[in-house]
Amino acid sequence: MTTDTLTVHDKAGQDKARPERPGYRYYVLAVLILIYMLNFLDRQIIGILAAPLKAEFGMSDSQFGLLGGIAFASVYSTLAIPLAWLADRFSRVWIMTGALAVWSGFTALCGMAGSFGQLFLCRMGVGIGEAGGVAPAYSLIADYFPPHQRARAMAAFAFGIPLGMAAGTLVGGLLAATYGWRTAFIVVGLLGVLVAPLLRLTVRDPKRGGTDAIKTLAQVAALAAAPVGTDRAGKIAAQIMLGLGAGLLILAALNWLMGMSLGNPLVLAFGGLLAVVIGVSLMIARRTASLVIRKPSFWLLALGAASSSVCGYGVAGWLPLFFMRSFDLTLRQTSVYYSGIALIGGILGIWLGGMIADKLSKKGKGAYPLTPAVAFLISAPCFILAMNSPWLIGLVLPGGGSHAQQLTLAFFIFLLPTGLNLAWLGPITAAVQHLVPAAMRSTASALFLLLNNLLGIAVGFYYFGWMSDLLAPRFGEESLRWAIYTGMGFYVLAAILLIGASRTLKKDWVD
């Protein structure tokens, strides 16, 4: 029987090698999937609660878009970098345990919010916690699984997304329909607090780079010995963001103190603080940032994933309300209907994406971004067809069939784009791990997630709500349908960017 060499921390905080049973790595992966499921459950539960929250606080679609997007994404994206920087130097398991407790606690507090502002702040708290939950997990998986298995391992980890979305939709919706939206937030939040000790007590930090080739370790040593000047690009990027942040904060102060009309002072102040946090984060991670921002593949992968996430996060957040408005489903019916789509379609798409990319990568590294690029080109028309199941079934049955037949057809068509929409997770996150040496993986992942989530979640969730309000005078209750149509162009943009990454990845790859 073979053994895997892992590491544990002794009382002095030092790593020492320890042999483990081969099955332990799969146990660790299962625990990380559970944590990721809770991550997405707490993140996406707000989607199924759209109707009761909008009714409670009198929100427009645009306001709800801010609540689901920028409130969460602003801190989730930016704080991920300093937390990942710490994870590259200290215990990744401890950081993830603390993160789980924080985001779960704030999810429970969402159920106690008495105003839109309080709920906005609690959602920011969820983002603060979740900032430490993903990048360290990517790094752990990369150190538990060798390169030829990583895309599939990353894909398996990403099962947490459809599991979390399905659980959040089903459990959150049923709890809200029976006991109210406040109970839904409190119950799912307390669940995460109870699970946190399991992670800390049963998962160990493996040796960094332990499953990589010796060449990678040599590259780490060479990078550590490199002159300080190698972090120049990261410093410049950090200084630009700090300068931008300072400028926006000055404009906000002039508005408040001198009554000058230079824009909304609250928006200016929020943007300024966001830029400052990004600048500080880049300064902390300047060496890793200097390495990745010089690689075209990083930008193409990150922006391609972000473009797809505008639709991925946006559509996932707004489809429950679409089903209630356009398919005439109740909250309880939507919970069951959409949770099935998210679970079945998501798991199939993620696993196939990772498996196909791993197999095709033997012929070239370009398969990692090329696989999801093809998936996105198929996703856009499938979403539109699924949303128009009455017209589609009307081509065969007079009058468009019964409501049940329309829902059934839409369900099966929705499975396809829901799966294809998530097929990028395994291949792209695995490719990002190979843009840097092993010791920089958490931070590189956080830099990738900064772009992906700040653009994907913040822009995606808000875009569809803003566009729905914009189109409401013309389309009324169907404005959300047309808003989703317009968003499909982001899939085409994502495919173009990832096709570009397939041409540059071989040069930027670190074995």
Side-chain angles (χ1 to χ4, degrees):
M1 178 182 294
T2 61
T3 58
D4 299 319
T5 300
L6 306 178
T7 61
V8 293
H9 293 276
D10 59 21
K11 292 182 179 180
Q14 302 296 316
D15 288 339
K16 55 185 180 180
R18 163 178 186 160
E20 290 289 348
R21 292 177 292 107
Y24 180 69
R25 68 170 61 176
Y26 295 103
Y27 168 78
V28 171
L29 182 60
V31 172
L32 293 178
I33 292 171
L34 173 62
I35 303 305
Y36 204 22
M37 183 188 79
L38 294 173
N39 182 297
F40 257 80
L41 192 160
D42 291 3
R43 184 187 311 186
Q44 294 294 118
I45 188 175
I46 196 168
I48 191 63
L49 302 180
L53 286 174
K54 281 167 58 65
E56 176 84 13
F57 299 114
M59 290 182 283
S60 66
D61 284 354
S62 296
Q63 287 177 310
F64 184 71
L66 288 174
L67 188 65
I70 195 67
F72 174 87
S74 58
V75 288
Y76 173 68
S77 303
T78 54
L79 294 183
I81 295 177
L83 288 174
W85 182 86
L86 291 173
D88 276 334
R89 288 154 179 80
F90 303 101
S91 171
R92 291 165 284 189
V93 174
W94 262 114
I95 289 171
M96 289 187 64
T97 302
L100 172 58
V102 170
W103 88 59
S104 299
F106 273 105
T107 298
L109 287 175
C110 286
M112 303 177 188
S115 66
F116 173 81
Q118 291 176 7
L119 189 56
F120 190 95
L121 292 175
C122 287
R123 285 291 295 174
M124 289 185 71
V126 175
I128 291 172
E130 294 201 9
V134 180
Y138 286 161
S139 179
L140 284 172
I141 293 170
D143 284 337
Y144 271 106
F145 291 87
H148 67 280
Q149 295 179 346
R150 278 186 193 147
R152 275 170 287 183
M154 291 292 182
F157 172 65
F159 284 166
I161 295 176
L163 288 170
M165 290 174 61
T169 301
L170 182 62
V171 176
L174 293 179
L175 284 173
T178 306
Y179 303 105
W181 64 268
R182 295 183 184 275
T183 299
F185 274 127
I186 293 171
V187 169
V188 300
L190 292 179
L191 177 62
V193 174
L194 294 175
V195 170
L198 174 70
L199 173 64
R200 175 65 192 93
L201 296 175
T202 65
V203 174
R204 289 183 288 272
D205 267 299
K207 180 179 178 182
R208 298 179 194 269
T211 59
D212 291 327
I214 295 176
K215 182 170 66 171
T216 300
L217 302 180
Q219 290 172 331
V220 174
L223 187 60
V228 177
T230 57
D231 64 5
R232 183 166 178 259
K235 281 185 176 180
I236 292 173
Q239 290 166 354
I240 290 173
M241 294 306 300
L242 289 171
L244 175 62
L248 291 174
L249 290 174
I250 290 172
L251 290 177
L254 290 174
N255 270 18
W256 270 316
L257 299 176
M258 302 180 65
M260 301 176 67
S261 299
L262 300 172
N264 187 311
L266 186 60
V267 173
L268 291 172
F270 189 87
L273 288 173
L274 185 61
V276 168
V277 173
I278 293 175
V280 172
S281 299
L282 289 174
M283 186 62 72
I284 291 172
R286 58 187 180 274
R287 177 155 296 191
T288 304
S290 295
L291 181 61
V292 297
I293 64 178
R294 291 196 295 262
K295 295 189 173 185
S297 297
F298 173 78
W299 293 103
L300 292 167
L301 290 171
L303 293 176
S307 297
S308 73
S309 293
V310 169
C311 275
Y313 285 116
V315 172
W318 286 100
L319 270 182
L321 195 58
F322 167 79
F323 289 139
M324 296 174 72
R325 287 182 181 177
S326 299
F327 281 16
D328 296 323
L329 298 180
T330 65
L331 177 59
R332 187 182 298 274
Q333 290 170 332
T334 301
S335 301
V336 177
Y337 187 75
Y338 187 45
S339 63
I341 292 172
L343 181 64
I344 300 171
I347 288 179
L348 289 175
I350 289 171
W351 181 249
L352 288 174
M355 182 180 66
I356 292 172
D358 266 343
K359 289 185 178 296
L360 295 181
S361 67
K362 297 175 182 178
K363 299 181 180 180
K365 306 301 182 187
Y368 285 104
L370 201 56
T371 299
V374 174
F376 293 144
L377 291 175
I378 300 173
S379 292
C382 287
F383 265 123
I384 295 173
L385 286 175
M387 293 168 66
N388 288 277
S389 59
W391 169 82
L392 192 61
I393 203 170
L395 298 176
V396 180
L397 299 177
S402 67
H403 189 234
Q405 290 172 326
Q406 294 169 7
L407 288 175
T408 302
L409 178 63
F411 182 92
F412 285 108
I413 300 177
F414 266 120
L415 292 178
L416 186 59
T418 299
L420 294 173
N421 168 51
L422 297 174
W424 70 269
L425 287 158
I428 300 302
T429 53
V432 171
Q433 299 298 302
H434 286 281
L435 295 178
V436 296
M440 292 181 169
R441 283 177 179 152
S442 289
T443 308
S445 295
L447 289 166
F448 165 79
L449 291 172
L450 170 66
L451 292 173
N452 179 54
N453 293 321
L454 192 58
L455 294 176
I457 300 177
V459 174
F461 215 110
Y462 178 74
Y463 171 83
F464 290 104
W466 169 76
M467 184 59 70
S468 177
D469 281 343
L470 188 67
L471 297 174
R474 180 173 181 181
F475 296 104
E477 285 293 303
E478 289 295 301
S479 63
L480 187 54
R481 173 193 296 275
W482 287 90
I484 295 174
Y485 289 166
T486 66
M488 293 298 108
F490 287 101
Y491 278 137
V492 178
L493 176 60
I496 292 172
L497 291 167
L498 293 179
I499 290 171
S502 70
R503 302 172 66 87
T504 63
L505 190 57
K506 180 179 179 180
K507 180 181 178 182
D508 294 336
W509 192 270
V510 176
D511 286 318

